[in-house]
Amino acid sequence: MARKNSGTAPRAKMMVASSARVAPGRRIGRTPNAAWQEQAWDYFDSMGELRFAASWISNSASRVSLTLGRVGPGGSEPVPVRETADRPLSPLEQDASRLVAELGGGPARLPEMMQHLATLIAVAGLGWILIEEDPLSPTGWKWSSRSNDEVRDTGTHWEVETGLDDDPEWDDLSWRPVATNHVMMRVWKRHPRHPDVPDSPVRAVIPVLKQLKGIDAHVNATSKSRLSGAGILFSPSEVEYQSAGDEDDDGVDGDVEYSNVDGLLNDLIDNASRAAEDPDDPAAVIPLPIEVPAEYIDSFRHMTFSTEYSETVIELTDRAVRRFALGMDMPPEAVTGMSDASHWAAWRVAEEGVTIHIAPLVRVITTAITLNWLHVNLEALDHDPVEVSKLVVYGDTTSLLVRPDKSADAIAGYENLEVSGDAMRRESGLTLDDKPSHSEFLRRVLMRSMDRNPELSSVLLPIIAKDVITSEMVEGIDWSTVNPDQQNFGVRSMDGNQSRRDQFEQAGQSQPTPLKTQAESPAGGGMAASVTTFEALIASMDGVVYRALERAGNRMRAEVGRGVPGGNVMVAAMEPSEIYTIVKPKSSQVGPLVAGAFDRVAELAVRFNVDGPELTASVEAYTRSLLTSGETHTVKALASWLVKA
């Protein structure tokens, strides 16, 4: 019978080493490293190609989240075990969740352990997990991953290799016994032919690594041969070289001296020394002039003993690297590069690297943890073994999968009522936290309504100006203050009836009856408009400016995303209408950013009896000034700009 949940972390009866098992019927045993494993570690320390491959695998494994799951029907992928409002966790699931939370010593330390353990398995095919009782640890247990060289069985107890920083009590020893209460797990990748023998892809590429090392040795030997000596310079013995003598104390050149080849060498050495000390010295670029009889010029010979670089070195190196990449348990493109691959091809390679290479490696680790940690401890807590066997630790690789950019399709689907808001946010790289609050949602709806129907400004502006908008405020709008003939102006009804705008156009009128003037505009400036009409005009243009800034922000975000793997989905999300305050565009870029944003201004100007081209030019100039200066848009600034214009 399962124990009742106490609300505290489970204190399972931990196993001593003699009872820990890596497979049914087998006790943990340590065997020395095989010859190929020693070679693998030697190449790991000396060959950059192998170290890069192991780092790619281990870094990827460290980003995998270990989660509690329940075995799916028919042995399918595990289903995450999560608590919801409709389904609380059972006592068994609560204990299992706490045990999974303790893996690796906690979420902060688990990635490091996974990275180290993945390196051990990727290189040598074998690693150890040691869990020791530790009163100082928050969970009561200290986790560590160990290589096969760091553990040994003395016959009576287990010991682990220690250093100066491991435990001050054992700082003068190279080995220390493990804690009395502990668990040891031997984790290895099984050889297909001999399941008890560790296996690794490195075992098969050791001959290729030998070739690469041989090529490196050839290149190094060639370099040394070229640096060991400059060769021999043969010159005819009949030639005497003229060297200028030293200057006297009064600055007058001394007598001209004639000598054999030693004089030439002295001049060459002197000229080369001055060039090496000062590269800007003319001696570094001007040749040393020497006069010799013409019949002896062709008699000079220079013999070198250096080895020339083989033309096949690059070809052999590329071929060996390609073979190494194909032999490792990772996408070959990760080693050879994907410079010629398209965005979709790179995404496919990244996904296959996770699902085909990283996930199976992580499964080796999670299976060992499930059998030797989770199940054993849950059974020790008196839970039903049958129910316990249905729970597993599995690796969630979601964070490693870089999906293609589907934000444009998601937005289009959302606008056509085919995709939910949550799906649109997910595909756009946003989270539920980015969902607007209820008050913000209502404000956006009212602003959109006012953008389509500027005549509603007198009713909606007082509500939009509130810090918080509630449903009661919207439901309590007094529509009696608005002319009924103007409430649906420009908006076609759901049943397909003509809008007020269509009716006016058919009647030969360009606009509805203008609103009555109540008072002069407080902004002054001689604008012939009433307070209500002026406020409506400002509110309408505020929507136009906001949409122009939003359009510019989305275009800048898309431009930045072209240089980022994953597209603009991977660019840090922020309000599109405010992006220009961070990424200030150049003056030459402003035009394309706001193209098409002011097409409706002339149409709106007709409603307010304002000159359309003049209003369009004014609003566009105001928006351009914001984009080039990076200043924040406000309604007050817009009103002041339009009054001056």
Side-chain angles (χ1 to χ4, degrees):
M1 182 176 180
R3 72 172 183 88
K4 296 182 179 180
N5 177 29
S6 62
T8 59
R11 303 295 295 176
K13 299 175 182 178
M14 301 298 291
M15 304 173 294
V16 295
S18 59
S19 63
R21 300 176 185 272
V22 295
R26 282 187 58 86
R27 293 175 56 182
I28 284 186
R30 179 192 176 278
T31 56
N33 286 338
W36 73 267
Q37 290 174 311
E38 295 292 344
Q39 288 180 307
W41 285 119
D42 290 340
Y43 285 123
F44 176 81
D45 292 332
S46 59
M47 299 298 295
E49 290 83 359
L50 178 56
R51 181 175 286 269
F52 170 81
S55 298
W56 186 92
I57 295 172
S58 60
N59 291 339
S60 300
S62 68
R63 296 178 54 197
V64 176
S65 301
L66 300 190
T67 310
L68 176 65
R70 182 177 294 276
V71 177
S76 58
E77 285 294 318
V79 179
V81 176
R82 296 189 178 94
E83 184 175 13
T84 63
D86 301 331
R87 183 188 177 279
L89 296 180
S90 65
L92 169 62
E93 293 171 339
Q94 291 177 13
D95 287 342
S97 297
R98 294 189 185 97
L99 287 169
V100 172
E102 293 179 3
L103 294 179
R109 299 181 180 180
L110 178 61
E112 181 182 0
M113 191 193 79
M114 288 290 294
Q115 183 183 38
H116 185 214
L117 193 60
T119 302
L120 299 176
I121 298 176
V123 176
L126 170 64
W128 294 77
I129 298 177
L130 174 61
I131 314 170
E132 300 178 275
E133 188 175 25
D134 183 9
L136 301 179
S137 175
T139 62
W141 306 99
K142 181 175 68 174
W143 292 64
S144 62
S145 54
R146 302 279 180 167
S147 68
N148 198 47
D149 300 285
E150 293 181 278
V151 298
R152 70 182 182 185
D153 185 4
T154 64
T156 59
H157 62 276
W158 284 88
E159 293 183 342
V160 294
E161 191 176 21
T162 184
L164 297 178
D165 298 330
D166 196 356
D167 192 338
E169 185 178 354
W170 307 96
D171 58 4
D172 57 340
L173 301 176
S174 59
W175 295 86
R176 67 165 177 84
V178 299
T180 303
N181 203 14
H182 69 275
V183 173
M184 290 189 70
M185 303 181 203
R186 182 174 181 261
V187 185
W188 74 98
K189 187 174 183 179
R190 300 175 183 271
H191 191 282
R193 186 179 180 186
H194 304 288
D196 293 336
V197 177
D199 187 35
S200 167
V202 180
R203 184 175 189 174
V205 298
I206 285 180
V208 181
L209 292 172
K210 288 182 178 179
Q211 291 181 13
L212 282 171
K213 196 168 186 177
I215 293 173
D216 289 344
H218 166 72
V219 173
N220 292 334
T222 302
S223 300
K224 290 181 179 179
S225 71
R226 300 179 69 87
L227 297 175
S228 59
I232 300 175
L233 175 63
F234 292 94
S235 64
S237 59
E238 295 85 356
V239 176
E240 291 186 347
Y241 304 97
Q242 175 180 333
S243 265
D246 296 335
E247 292 184 351
D248 297 333
D249 293 340
D250 56 1
V252 179
D253 291 341
D255 297 334
V256 174
E257 298 179 358
Y258 295 90
S259 62
N260 55 13
V261 71
D262 292 337
L264 174 61
L265 290 178
N266 290 335
D267 289 344
L268 288 173
I269 293 174
D270 180 66
N271 193 69
S273 299
R274 286 188 286 117
E277 293 175 358
D278 184 7
D280 296 330
D281 192 291
V285 293
I286 297 177
L288 179 66
I290 300 176
E291 293 182 358
V292 296
E295 64 269 20
Y296 295 113
I297 292 179
D298 294 335
S299 300
F300 288 84
R301 293 288 185 273
H302 181 213
M303 180 183 294
T304 61
F305 303 98
S306 62
T307 303
E308 295 295 330
Y309 289 107
S310 173
E311 296 180 357
T312 61
V313 167
I314 296 179
E315 180 181 351
L316 292 174
T317 302
D318 291 342
R319 180 185 175 190
V321 171
R322 179 66 179 173
R323 289 186 60 195
F324 169 79
L326 292 172
M328 290 299 294
D329 194 4
M330 61 188 298
E333 293 82 0
V335 177
T336 59
M338 296 183 290
S339 58
D340 298 330
S342 64
H343 171 72
W344 283 93
W347 167 76
R348 179 187 58 79
V349 169
E351 184 180 35
E352 291 181 353
V354 174
T355 57
I356 299 178
H357 302 284
I358 301 302
L361 173 63
V362 173
R363 190 175 295 115
V364 172
I365 300 174
T366 55
T367 300
I369 295 175
T370 297
L371 298 177
N372 298 291
W373 167 259
L374 181 65
H375 288 178
V376 173
N377 282 279
L378 290 177
E379 292 177 9
L381 292 169
D382 299 328
H383 287 294
D384 184 4
V386 176
E387 294 299 321
V388 167
S389 64
K390 298 178 181 179
L391 298 179
V392 296
V393 178
Y394 80 99
D396 184 3
T397 59
T398 304
S399 61
L400 291 176
L401 296 176
V402 180
R403 299 173 297 169
D405 183 7
K406 296 189 291 184
S407 59
D409 295 336
I411 294 174
Y414 176 77
E415 293 177 348
N416 291 307
L417 307 181
E418 295 293 337
V419 173
S420 67
D422 291 342
M424 185 268 293
R425 276 183 286 271
R426 182 185 67 246
E427 297 301 334
S428 299
L430 307 177
T431 66
L432 288 177
D433 295 335
D434 299 311
K435 182 178 181 179
S437 63
H438 183 64
S439 178
E440 178 65 18
F441 173 76
L442 293 177
R443 176 177 281 104
R444 294 285 183 87
V445 172
L446 295 180
M447 290 180 64
R448 179 169 294 184
S449 301
M450 193 170 59
D451 179 42
R452 295 180 176 178
N453 302 286
E455 293 79 6
L456 304 179
S457 302
S458 60
V459 176
L460 301 183
L461 273 177
I463 298 178
I464 296 176
K466 301 285 187 182
D467 292 335
V468 178
I469 302 177
T470 62
S471 301
E472 290 75 12
M473 293 180 181
V474 178
E475 294 173 357
I477 293 177
D478 183 9
W479 297 103
S480 62
T481 59
V482 181
N483 188 333
D485 290 338
Q486 296 172 345
Q487 290 179 12
N488 68 335
F489 181 75
V491 181
R492 185 176 295 275
S493 60
M494 295 296 292
D495 59 3
N497 293 332
Q498 288 181 320
S499 67
R500 291 295 299 161
R501 177 187 189 140
D502 297 330
Q503 297 173 21
F504 277 111
E505 289 178 351
Q506 287 186 5
Q509 301 179 17
S510 60
Q511 60 182 7
T513 303
L515 297 175
K516 296 181 179 180
T517 302
Q518 299 178 1
E520 289 298 321
S521 168
M527 178 174 286
S530 67
V531 173
T532 302
T533 306
F534 178 73
E535 291 177 348
L537 173 64
I538 296 301
S540 181
M541 295 303 103
D542 174 52
V544 171
V545 172
Y546 175 82
R547 292 292 296 170
L549 296 177
E550 187 178 44
R551 176 177 298 191
N554 286 329
R555 288 173 175 173
M556 285 190 288
R557 183 167 178 256
E559 185 67 26
V560 174
R562 292 178 183 175
V564 179
N568 61 350
V569 175
M570 308 305 294
V571 180
M574 66 178 298
E575 180 65 33
S577 62
E578 299 176 358
I579 289 180
Y580 76 95
T581 62
I582 305 300
V583 184
K584 187 182 301 183
K586 299 179 181 178
S587 300
S588 58
Q589 299 173 327
V590 172
L593 292 177
V594 298
F598 308 100
D599 293 345
R600 293 192 64 233
V601 175
E603 177 184 335
L604 296 173
V606 174
R607 306 182 188 182
F608 299 100
N609 196 21
V610 179
D611 183 81
E614 182 179 350
L615 181 60
T616 301
S618 299
V619 175
E620 183 174 358
Y622 171 76
T623 307
R624 286 172 173 266
S625 68
L626 294 179
L627 291 172
T628 55
S629 65
E631 297 180 359
T632 305
H633 163 60
T634 63
V635 176
K636 183 178 180 180
L638 173 61
S640 177
W641 181 283
L642 293 182
V643 169
K644 294 179 180 179

